[in-house]
Amino acid sequence: MTIGTRREWLRTMAALGAGCLAHALIPRALARAAQQPAQDPTAAFRAQIGAVPIQTRQLGENLTLLSGPGGNVVLLHGADGLVVVDTFVAPAWPKLQESLANLGAPVKFVINTHWHFDHTDNNAPLHAAGATVVAHANTKRRMSEPLALPQRVFTDRYTLEANGERLELSHVPPAHTDTDVTVWFEHANVLHAGDVYFNGRYPYIDGNTGGRVDGMIAASDRLLSRADAGTKIVPGHGPLATRADLVKYRDMLSTAADRVRKLKASGKSLEESITAKPFTDLDGDWGSGRYKGDDFVKIVYLTL
């Protein structure tokens, strides 16, 4: 995002704060940083995420998962060069660059699962090194920095073949954002879900750029229709998952949406809905991440 885009986003969050909503929609570290005018809050948040170490896991013979500073990155490697799905935050670039260099091949393609900076920050250095960035058309519309912009965009599906693998990129109707893309590695039976799936935690849903809780539920159903018991599912955030894990997540979202929908339909205000504590029985399994039960009530209420 450009500085102007960041400021616009923060102004929106500040306006929401008048209704006591901002702390639910902005990660806590960013909210704290926003109270310090002399410091760029987005830069502070990036630095915090960027300090997280990268963990590596093999998903297949030529498929590697990098987890850490900004979610989950998947690397397809081989004689055709590297294909990289998502790129972490900018401060993690030296660590990402080292991980890529260890595979001994240039990056040919970068795929963005959506437009948020923790998934697109390192588009620019990778494009400068010769990579082609592929994303949904809405991602290009949401972003502003010329070097980071996707060079190839699509509206529904896009297929890419490299290193003996066939990748199918599919646009998801508005869910986490209106830019979401899932990536299916057909031969390896690996599915990168992007941020339509937060494994083991309540998700963030960006209502400011089209996100909707019902869209998240529909996206989970779409993923489940593609996955089988042996599919390795890479969430946008959280540990590697199975189809059974995704079923539990979909069921949580459906339960949460139904409960808040009933509260809202009965005329309950946001604060009254929070006071009702509708997620008490869910918090033990899903409230250990950045967003707690009260936070997620707000997120669901605002994105119904």
Side-chain angles (χ1 to χ4, degrees):
M1 290 185 286
T2 64
I3 292 174
T5 304
R6 291 199 301 269
R7 286 175 178 162
E8 180 180 341
W9 181 50
L10 290 170
R11 282 197 298 269
T12 302
M13 294 299 98
L16 287 171
C20 301
L21 313 183
H23 71 279
L25 295 180
I26 312 175
R28 286 178 174 79
L30 183 52
R32 288 195 299 270
Q35 298 171 4
Q36 304 172 22
Q39 186 179 32
D40 180 342
T42 310
F45 188 41
R46 276 186 168 103
Q48 182 191 45
I49 298 173
V52 176
I54 291 177
Q55 298 180 341
T56 302
R57 176 171 179 170
Q58 292 304 120
L59 299 179
E61 183 177 353
N62 63 342
L63 209 58
T64 301
L65 172 64
L66 303 180
S67 300
N72 293 312
V73 169
V74 172
L75 309 178
L76 174 65
H77 37 97
D80 295 333
L82 300 179
V83 179
V84 180
V85 182
D86 288 342
T87 69
F88 292 143
V89 293
W93 171 245
K95 292 180 289 188
L96 176 60
Q97 187 178 32
E98 181 180 359
S99 297
L100 298 175
N102 288 338
L103 294 173
V107 179
K108 294 296 187 181
F109 291 97
V110 171
I111 298 167
N112 295 150
T113 61
H114 63 290
W115 81 285
H116 286 157
F117 64 72
D118 52 332
H119 299 260
T120 61
D121 251 3
N122 290 305
N123 282 7
L126 290 168
H127 175 54
T132 298
V133 180
V134 182
H136 188 263
N138 287 344
T139 290
K140 186 171 185 177
R141 182 170 61 86
R142 295 284 183 195
M143 297 174 67
S144 300
E145 296 178 6
L147 287 178
L149 291 177
Q151 289 79 54
R152 293 188 188 177
V153 298
F154 63 97
T155 57
D156 185 24
R157 294 181 185 274
Y158 184 88
T159 301
L160 180 64
E161 295 190 9
N163 302 317
E165 183 59 83
R166 183 177 184 273
L167 289 71
E168 183 177 300
L169 285 59
S170 300
H171 174 54
V172 178
H176 174 64
T177 67
D178 63 6
T179 69
D180 300 314
V181 168
T182 61
V183 184
W184 166 250
F185 296 85
E186 180 180 337
H187 301 310
N189 197 16
V190 170
L191 186 57
H192 196 313
D195 277 8
V196 301
Y197 183 21
F198 284 56
N199 187 20
R201 63 197 69 181
Y202 291 128
Y204 173 55
I205 305 172
D206 186 358
N208 291 312
T209 57
R212 295 291 180 267
V213 65
D214 288 334
M216 293 285 275
I217 296 166
S220 296
D221 286 332
R222 285 167 62 106
L223 290 167
L224 288 169
S225 70
R226 174 58 63 88
D228 58 35
T231 304
K232 296 174 182 176
I233 304 174
V234 178
H237 299 271
L240 188 68
T242 64
R243 190 180 190 279
D245 295 325
L246 181 57
V247 169
K248 293 178 183 177
Y249 174 77
R250 187 273 315 276
D251 290 348
M252 178 276 291
L253 289 176
S254 181
T255 297
D258 285 348
R259 291 178 183 177
V260 175
R261 198 187 318 275
K262 288 176 182 177
L263 290 168
K264 197 170 184 178
S266 71
K268 298 291 186 184
S269 68
L270 175 62
E271 292 304 325
E272 289 170 333
S273 297
I274 294 167
T275 301
K277 300 291 183 184
F279 301 159
T280 301
D281 59 324
L282 303 176
D283 288 348
D285 290 331
W286 304 98
S288 61
R290 188 175 300 279
Y291 302 105
K292 310 305 178 186
D294 287 356
D295 300 330
F296 196 53
V297 174
K298 297 177 184 181
I299 291 171
V300 173
Y301 192 99
L302 293 171
T303 61
L304 278 171

